[in-house]
Amino acid sequence: MKVRLTSRMALTVGLLLMGLSSSAHAGVVAFNGSGAWRFFGNCQDCAAAAQQQNRPVTGTLTLQNYLQGTALTNANFVSFRYDGSNLLAPYTVPGAAPTLNFVNLGGFLTQGGAQQVFLDFGTQGYFDLAGGNWATCVTNCLLPDDFGNNGSFVLQSQTVPEPGTYALLVVGLGALGFASRRKQRA
């Protein structure tokens, strides 16, 4: 009876410690906006050209040292890649041929919340998202090359667990091992 009680108590303590460590970790993830933000949108002009109702397009904005919900600055910018459509070839900022040099980044991103991104590159190029509506152009930008609705960014980066997470996991597993060993002796 006493061994069962010890085993249950060790299991409960271990699960509690693991739960506390994961909830503390989740709180950190909610604010960290550094990493790859994946863009998903419906390209309306692409769909019309293909005689379809919807035409999904994607892209990736990579940021560094960014906290969700704060103003995006040029210091946060690492790269942006638009994966292209039936009307516009893929492009990367910076990089790609022709060279699309980064100029300016503004707006804010919150996963599951309001989002606004203004990215300027090259001599006239841009990618803009506001209220789900988006547009992009690479050269001769009197009109956008691609535009659409239902646009949003989703944070795709994986965060590394904090050292405290591993410490709590080891303590919990140690308690389980100790309880199991005592049970075997009895």
Side-chain angles (χ1 to χ4, degrees):
M1 176 89 169
K2 188 174 183 178
V3 172
R4 276 191 195 161
L5 182 61
T6 305
S7 296
R8 286 183 187 161
M9 190 167 72
L11 180 61
T12 303
V13 168
L15 291 174
L16 177 64
L17 289 173
M18 284 188 267
L20 288 174
S21 69
S22 65
S23 65
H25 180 61
V28 172
V29 174
F31 298 107
N32 183 6
S34 296
W37 287 81
R38 193 82 171 125
F39 170 74
F40 299 93
N42 175 46
C43 183
Q44 292 172 310
D45 62 323
C46 306
Q51 298 180 348
Q52 298 173 331
Q53 208 166 21
N54 296 306
R55 186 75 177 207
V57 291
T58 58
T60 304
L61 174 64
T62 306
L63 301 173
Q64 63 185 357
N65 303 319
Y66 179 65
L67 295 176
Q68 289 190 43
T70 62
L72 288 163
T73 67
N74 291 351
N76 299 129
F77 184 79
V78 174
S79 67
F80 178 73
R81 174 166 175 79
Y82 183 73
D83 295 327
S85 70
N86 55 332
L87 301 177
L88 179 62
Y91 67 83
T92 302
V93 180
T99 301
L100 300 174
N101 295 321
F102 170 72
V103 175
N104 190 39
L105 177 67
F108 56 89
L109 289 170
T110 305
Q111 180 139 324
Q115 299 182 343
Q116 202 168 20
V117 173
F118 305 103
L119 171 64
D120 298 323
F121 54 85
T123 56
Q124 297 179 331
Y126 64 86
F127 179 91
D128 292 345
L129 166 73
N133 295 314
W134 61 274
T136 188
C137 183
V138 177
T139 57
N140 301 322
C141 295
L142 296 175
L143 296 172
D145 291 326
D146 280 356
F147 62 88
N149 58 9
N150 299 325
S152 65
F153 282 91
V154 177
L155 182 60
Q156 297 289 304
S157 64
Q158 297 293 324
T159 58
V160 177
E162 297 174 7
T165 302
Y166 292 118
L168 289 173
L169 179 62
V170 168
V171 168
L173 291 174
L176 287 173
F178 178 74
S180 173
R181 188 167 184 205
R182 284 193 67 178
K183 183 178 179 181
Q184 287 176 355
R185 284 187 185 169

